[in-house]
Amino acid sequence: MNRSRTPIQAFLRQLKTQQTEMVELLGRFVKCESPSHDKAAVDAFGRIVAEEWKKRGAKIQIIRQPKRGNQIRAEICLGQGRPRGQIMILGHLDTVYPAGTLAKMPFRMAHGRAYGPGTFDMKAGLVLALFAVDAIRAAGHYPQKRFVFYWNSDEEIGSLTSRAAIEREARRSDAVLVLEPPIGSQGRLKTARKGVGAVEIIVTGRAAHAGINPEQGVNAVHELALQIARLMKMNDPRRGITVQATVVAGGTVSNVVPAQARAEVDIRYTRVSDAPRLDRALQGLRPILKGAQIEVRGGINRPPLERTAAVGTLFEKAQSLMREIGVNLREASTGGGSDGNFTAALGVPTLDGLGAVGDGAHSPGEHVVIRSLPERAALLAGLLGTL
Ligand SMILES: [Zn+2]
């Protein structure tokens, strides 16, 4: 008896013949700009994506949003009969690039790479998902699972309008596969991500002449400097905690004691259990100088994605699939957060970084490596076919 090809080999063979179509679709996606803050633009892009899923027979649900882009939920069951469980595939429609970026940074191909705003983070991921489903169909492989593709619209600005819906869907799922970019030229998956917080500290003092009556003023910049010194003490790199003042502003002219100052602060942490303590410390900031007032806005936002045993098992599955096509897949941890942080915190096994190989997210050199597209789509198809 001949040993038949394993599904992932069949998927890859099929997908390699579609590399050009994958790049064409990526081009169409990139040419429809979708900045997080531009509802009309994100909605227009969402319609193109939804149309592609409709062509594949998916059941589409548009989750309408008044201010942000609408989110898209595409459900597909390839097998006959009642599905045994659900897999959620997660990604986002929005990019960090303001409208008009394409004029300076057009979609283009060079040296085996496809460049353009949002190629890597993460319109290529959206392309992979569509072709993974095609490959499963073409191979005549019909898993008895419900696949829910959830495309969020405000990931790049904290997922404030989409978090609850993502969590609801994740709770119904056996696993979550996240199509965010991988790490490095080998496309390592992300099995650990730091948790993220963001606060704004607003200081109000009292203005006075810096030469004539400084004692009648309350220096908001001095107060802010003292607060930042206090925040710096919260850093604990060995525990994976970093606190960085990233933006500061204050004062008006050089001979006036400033009445206003503000800072933005970025917080990252590794362990779920550190979140309450960090949040308490941030919310508990009190003025140091007499007469100064401070207001703290924001707090801890995304919990960390911890590499639990279930996350490890999911990664090993991906690794053994890639071994079948001769690729040594590896894993890595990152300080950046994604929607995978939310789903992992619910205890749902989450595997992140399944997007196309590339580099330069959020920068003028953003690109994906074209020949990675069939391989990464095959990996996704392999996971969907075997989980
Ligand atoms: Zn992203």
Side-chain angles (χ1 to χ4, degrees):
M1 197 179 90
N2 280 336
R3 200 170 162 272
S4 63
R5 281 174 172 275
T6 56
I8 190 164
Q9 288 168 341
F11 297 154
L12 182 61
R13 201 174 35 156
Q14 157 79 15
L15 286 157
K16 273 187 174 164
T17 68
Q18 292 177 299
Q19 185 170 293
T20 310
E21 289 163 62
M22 295 176 87
V23 177
E24 276 166 13
L25 186 60
L26 176 61
R28 270 184 62 211
F29 282 4
V30 172
K31 286 172 190 166
C32 186
E33 294 183 294
S34 53
S36 315
H37 291 285
D38 187 340
K39 174 173 169 59
V42 177
D43 286 351
F45 177 52
R47 280 193 292 274
I48 294 179
V49 173
E51 205 47 54
E52 288 298 320
W53 283 99
K54 253 183 236 158
K55 280 188 212 164
R56 285 155 178 91
K59 206 165 88 191
I60 309 290
Q61 200 188 332
I62 309 285
I63 297 96
R64 298 196 184 276
Q65 297 296 329
K67 288 208 183 92
R68 300 286 174 238
N70 297 331
Q71 295 145 35
I72 293 170
R73 179 188 186 277
E75 179 184 317
I76 206 159
C77 299
L78 297 171
Q80 303 286 316
R82 246 178 89 90
R84 287 192 287 271
Q86 170 174 312
I87 307 290
M88 180 181 188
I89 303 90
L90 187 52
H92 58 86
L93 301 166
D94 61 320
T95 76
V96 295
Y97 300 94
T101 301
L102 266 176
K104 291 167 281 173
M105 193 181 154
F107 180 74
R108 67 184 175 96
M109 279 172 283
H111 316 295
R113 296 164 170 183
Y115 291 84
T119 43
F120 182 48
D121 187 10
M122 54 153 276
K123 290 183 174 175
L126 302 175
V127 172
L128 298 184
L130 289 157
F131 281 82
V133 166
D134 289 347
I136 293 172
R137 274 221 176 94
H141 182 84
Y142 302 114
Q144 280 300 106
K145 290 268 182 187
R146 182 189 308 115
F147 301 136
V148 174
F149 297 85
Y150 200 95
W151 309 134
N152 159 11
S153 58
D154 62 348
E155 195 275 345
E156 296 290 3
I157 50 172
S159 302
L160 299 182
T161 70
S162 47
R163 178 177 180 171
I166 289 170
E167 289 178 336
R168 222 171 12 253
E169 202 64 60
R171 281 198 190 89
R172 291 196 283 259
S173 306
D174 306 323
V176 179
L177 305 176
V178 188
L179 290 169
E180 286 286 345
I183 293 180
S185 58
Q186 291 157 354
R188 283 176 289 164
L189 301 191
K190 294 167 173 171
T191 51
R193 280 183 179 272
K194 281 192 171 185
V196 186
V199 295
E200 185 182 9
I201 297 171
I202 299 159
V203 180
T204 308
R206 195 185 318 119
H209 193 296
I212 298 168
N213 57 351
E215 69 286 349
Q216 285 171 21
V218 177
N219 192 317
V221 169
H222 288 181
E223 172 69 27
L224 183 62
L226 293 169
Q227 294 294 340
I228 289 172
R230 186 185 265 179
L231 287 165
M232 282 172 68
K233 293 197 185 114
M234 288 165 66
N235 277 289
D236 189 348
R238 269 189 319 174
R239 218 178 149 74
I241 297 173
T242 61
V243 179
Q244 301 286 326
T246 49
V247 178
V248 292
T252 51
V253 291
S254 77
N255 61 353
V256 170
V257 172
Q260 298 294 336
R262 60 178 284 274
E264 288 175 42
V265 182
D266 179 282
I267 302 108
R268 309 274 158 159
Y269 64 107
T270 305
R271 302 179 200 182
V272 175
S273 56
D274 283 332
R277 188 171 59 84
L278 281 169
D279 220 20
R280 265 200 310 278
L282 293 166
Q283 307 305 333
L285 291 174
R286 294 290 173 263
I288 295 167
L289 299 177
K290 196 159 174 279
Q293 289 172 354
I294 71 170
E295 183 193 342
V296 179
R297 289 185 189 161
I300 297 299
N301 173 7
R302 286 190 167 101
L305 191 166
E306 286 190 276
R307 192 193 189 286
T308 59
V311 170
T313 306
L314 210 48
F315 170 70
E316 281 154 24
K317 184 124 224 169
Q319 197 175 37
S320 77
L321 281 166
M322 289 302 261
R323 208 173 286 135
E324 290 180 42
I325 54 171
V327 178
N328 178 21
L329 184 67
R330 298 202 316 216
E331 63 183 314
S333 66
T334 170
S338 88
D339 290 330
N341 292 48
F342 296 138
T343 62
L346 300 172
V348 185
T350 298
L351 194 57
D352 202 337
L354 284 161
V357 177
D359 204 359
H362 305 191
S363 85
E366 179 164 342
H367 67 268
V368 288
V369 176
I370 292 170
R371 66 175 160 65
S372 81
L373 297 173
E375 206 171 275
R376 303 294 278 197
L379 170 59
L380 181 62
L383 284 168
L384 294 177
T386 51
L387 282 178

